[in-house]
């Protein structure tokens, strides 16, 4: 029996990439091969930070691959509204193409997709290709609980929806 191949897709920010890379290492320790799919922009940053580990990286069961995020190199990736608009219009088709390439040219078949909750559209891509998936929350449980309760906090007047939207767009 071949080892399971899991495609891991983090959100395009360091606070999302790092926890998902740790998760990927745990998958490898438990007998999986991982295709870690970053945006081209973040992929270059990750690979350049790992120059000293290049030899072990080449032999690793975590394969670093990338797809375009839809922005030009000079675009501001801290403008999350613009970034996520570009991601939604570009990355689903690019992810599907990447999975099809892995299936066609490699010996592996992706058996599962684990996507950052902010990249949940990836599960639709997987569903189209007959691949099951799961969402991963890279932040703290307290932040998850807070976000799940934002509507109730607004309804009770504890927080102001205009402030939430304005502050969320600054992130």
């Amino acid at each position: 029996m071949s080892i399971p191949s899991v495609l891991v897709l983090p959100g395009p920010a360091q606070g999302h990439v790092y926890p998902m890379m740790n998760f990927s290492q745990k998958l490898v320790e438990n007998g999986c091969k991982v295709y870690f799919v970053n945006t081209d922009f973040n992929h270059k940053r990750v690979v350049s930070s790992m120059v000293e580990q290049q030899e072990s990286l080449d032999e690793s069961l975590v394969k670093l691959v990338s797809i375009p995020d839809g922005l030009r190199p000079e675009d501001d990736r801290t403008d999350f509204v613009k970034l996520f608009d570009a991601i939604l219009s570009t990355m689903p088709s690019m992810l599907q193409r990447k999975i099809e390439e892995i299936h066609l040219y490699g010996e592996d078949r992706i058996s599962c997709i684990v996507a950052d909750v902010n990249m949940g559209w990836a599960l639709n891509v997987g569903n189209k290709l007959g691949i099951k998936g799961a969402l991963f929350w890279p932040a703290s449980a307290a932040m998850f609980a807070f976000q799940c309760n934002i509507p109730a906090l607004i309804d009770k007047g504890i927080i102001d929806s205009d402030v939430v939207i304005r502050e969320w767009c600054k992130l």
Side-chain angles (χ1 to χ4, degrees), residues 132-159:
K132 294 185 188 244
L135 295 176
F136 182 93
W137 180 262
S140 70
M143 189 64 176
F144 182 72
F146 170 71
Q147 286 192 342
C148 288
N149 286 290
I150 286 175
L153 294 169
I154 291 170
D155 288 346
K156 293 177 181 177
I158 297 169
I159 58 175

Side-chain angles (χ1 to χ4, degrees), residues 1-8 23 27-28 30-37 61 95 98-100 102-104 106-115 122-123 125-135:
M1 185 170 137
S2 65
I3 63 173
S5 294
V6 180
L7 186 140
V8 174
F23 174 71
L27 288 172
V28 167
N30 285 281
C32 296
K33 181 174 187 176
V34 173
Y35 286 88
F36 196 86
V37 182
L61 288 175
L95 181 63
K98 181 61 72 177
I99 292 169
E100 289 168 346
I102 291 167
H103 289 176
L104 186 62
E107 65 230 30
D108 302 312
R109 297 221 31 102
I110 303 299
S111 50
C112 178
I113 294 174
V114 179
L123 299 188
V125 173
N127 191 40
K128 216 196 273 191
L129 299 171
I131 302 169
K132 294 185 188 244
L135 295 176

